Amino acid sequence: MDSHAIDSNLNFYEAKRGLFSWIFTLDHKRIALLYLYSISLFFLVGVALGFLMRLELFSPGGQVMDPRTYNQVFTFHGVIMIFLVIIPSIPAVFGNFFLPIMIGTDDVALPRLNLFSWWLYIIGALMALGTLMFGNGPADTGWTFYAPYSVTSDTNVSMLLLAAFVLGFSSILTGLNFIVTIHRLRAPQMPWFKMPLFAWGLYATAWIQLLATPIVGITLLMVVMERTFGIGLFDPALGGDPVLYQHLFWIYSHPVVYVMILPAMGIVSEVIPTSAQRTIFGYKAIALSSMAIAFLGYFVWGHHMFTSGMSDEARVVFSFITFLVAIPTAIKVFNWIATLYKGSIYITPNLLWSTAFIFNFLIGGLTGLINGALAADVHVHDTTYIVAHFHYTMFGGTIFVFLGALHYWFPKIWGRMYNQKLAYWALGFTFVGFNILYGAMLTVGVKGMPRRYYDYLPQFEFLNKVATVGSWILILGILLMIYNLIRSARKGEIAPRNPWNGVTLEWQVPSPPPLHNFDRPFILSENGPYDFSLLEKINEVEQKPLDH
Amino acid sequence: MGYYKVPISGHNRDDEGSKLGMWLFLFTEILLFGGLFLVYAIYRFKYFEEFRIIAEHMDITLGAANTVILITSSLTVALSITAMKKDQDNIAVLLLFITIALALAFMVNKFFEWNEHIHHGLVMGADLFNNLQHGEGMFLFLYYFMTGLHGLHVVVGAIILAIVIAKIINGKITKDNYTFHENGGLYWHLVDLIWIYLFPLFYLLH
């Protein structure tokens, strides 16, 4: 017996003990949880900042803060939510935890690099938080750091930029790790087109992380240099080109929205077959549409700059390619719906989170087409309509799936069931609050309320009040969900291996999994990852545990 | 009491996987510098004449010497890998030491070169610099930024090669297990490759 011999009756929590066994762990499941706890913490900080902004906008005029603080709050909200929450969220938490299990192996390909990514994440997070204490206060530029204001602002922009650089490095290494893992560690019976769709989502994501992030890294460094040496790269007062900054920034920052959404779409493609108890409709189309979105995503950055100054030819081309992205996205949505059609649907909070995602993302995606149209964009750009649009995709999309995945895989991660009744209530509040908040913002944006404004005209007051009330309902839902999950993780019913009757590999291991993931050979179908004719055979294991 | 050992384990040695990881990392490095090359191209296009004039102040001799030094060091690192494959540890270590010495020589040259420019006031903040045309200042700024970032990579590469030496001496890199050595070599070739583009852009084009 080799040195890895561990009793498989012990789960991965019990295999080792102590703080150091966590923060220096090489186990992908523990690293996933480290990410989960750190990301959740920052998510709550981001939510609190959003709550404050909505309070400020409850009525015209100053309410709870001064204008400069308001600018700092929305900047910090954006930086935290983008760089510390959404970008790492699904890949670093659920990708780390489930990718190795789902492809039938016992760890990622480069475990030490994996731990290093988490440490980089923490260092980047501390640097971002450091701007609260050092220098002239946190940045007030907006998370996009547009030049020339990011060059001339007297706040501590440089440190925040360096934090984003470090976080980008962390994201690159996670992506790199997943590509190597998927290429090298798939189970022998699992060719590319028999992989679970979550793995496909992560694979497409990883390539974007790898190929787009370095550009923003170097761009942010350029802004730091510009601030230090005042050389006139981007500052027009010194002969620089601010539109060049926007190009460099969006060359990364548009593809990165697909880093945020593709893994979420992968998870939905897992939850829906399990809930409908039938194989996914259009497996290859869903897998390849992820790659198509990743590819097309590189060529649409110009649609962030329709009103910034570009040639008409460039704008038309960018607009056209933007519309193309809707095709692979719609392919996914239709395939999910087709999977549910005539399936034997088990309604669980997991499924409802996923359908809530489809609803929100439909609004997010269709409003995106309106921005993508040149003429319409001139009207809606820089209004709260844009803010609502990307919250519908990022929050209503990615974060909803993140929370849904937390429910779907909750029994596997913590080995206990959550309280379903409370989960429905929490989802209900979150969904209703979310739609009130951002629905009102969409509407008031179309009426012309500018984004990032501290104050507004009286005619926008009613919808702003509605939005703020919506934010309270939303936060209530989130808090209820957190209460439910934390309580259930400690006191819930003990979960079986396969509570939702799934057939992918993570449902064939104990809940929670042992250190090396598998306690017996796994069952893979020749008909792909969602072959529910195997369900009986998979669930037999539960009834007669292996004789040790 | 055991556990089920998966057919393809992440804990097994996987040379192909490590090399794949390294190649992917090299892509990201190229893209990192790619952003700077792009900005260089844009400003060269915008300030063509000023770039040409200021480039005449570059010391082609030192630049050429550094190019020869780096290309030679790429050769020595490649030879050291071949020596390792043939189980000639001592020669491999010797060649790696030569590589690191060449890296050092490169940095020393760089130091004198920068020192010379700074001494003449061709540096951000100096009076002479402030009186230059915007394009000339941009050229110098990009020169410091790009060769500086490259210099940082030379230092990191040398450290990696030093780790390779330590691992050879400790017996962790052997004739049958030299992927780390190869990856260190790959990284070093990248450092060399980027310089091969920096050299003409800053020294030869005027």
Side-chain angles (χ1 to χ4, degrees), chain A residues 258 265 322-323 325-327 329-331 333-334 357-373 376-377 380 385-386 388-394 442 446:
Chain A
Y258 302 114
M265 291 170 158
T322 302
F323 288 138
V325 179
I327 296 171
T329 313
I331 287 176
V333 174
F334 286 125
F357 156 82
I358 295 177
F359 178 84
N360 293 338
F361 198 76
L362 205 64
I363 297 179
L366 292 177
T367 52
L369 286 179
I370 296 170
N371 311 332
D377 185 70
V380 296
Y385 172 92
I386 300 291
H389 155 70
F390 68 71
H391 279 83
Y392 261 106
T393 57
M394 300 290 95
L442 266 184
V446 174

Side-chain angles (χ1 to χ4, degrees), chain A residues 147 150-152 157-162 165 216-235 238 245, chain B residues 32 36 39 114 123-125 129 137-138 140-150 152:
Chain A
S150 59
V151 178
T152 55
V157 179
S158 297
M159 192 148 160
L160 202 55
L161 290 167
L162 290 174
F165 181 85
V216 83
I218 198 70
T219 307
L220 299 181
L221 275 191
M222 284 185 222
V223 178
V224 174
M225 291 293 164
E226 171 96 332
R227 284 178 65 84
T228 314
F229 297 113
I231 205 69
L233 268 175
F234 302 130
D235 183 358
L238 299 169
Y245 172 80
Chain B
L32 187 79
L36 283 167
V39 169
W114 277 33
V123 66
M124 286 75 82
F129 183 89
M138 185 62 70
L140 287 170
F141 169 73
L142 287 172
Y143 163 76
Y144 286 114
F145 195 170
M146 293 173 81
T147 60
L149 191 64
H150 175 261
L152 198 67

Side-chain angles (χ1 to χ4, degrees), chain A residues 392-440:
Chain A
Y392 261 106
T393 57
M394 300 290 95
F395 187 175
T398 310
I399 296 292
F400 264 60
V401 174
F402 181 83
L403 301 177
L406 213 50
H407 287 81
Y408 181 60
W409 281 316
F410 185 90
K412 191 52 66 186
I413 298 177
W414 285 282
R416 287 175 187 274
M417 302 301 287
Y418 59 83
N419 181 331
Q420 292 219 10
K421 206 169 171 189
L422 268 183
Y424 283 123
W425 278 104
L427 167 60
F429 280 123
T430 311
F431 182 71
V432 170
F434 173 87
N435 276 292
I436 293 176
L437 165 55
Y438 295 107

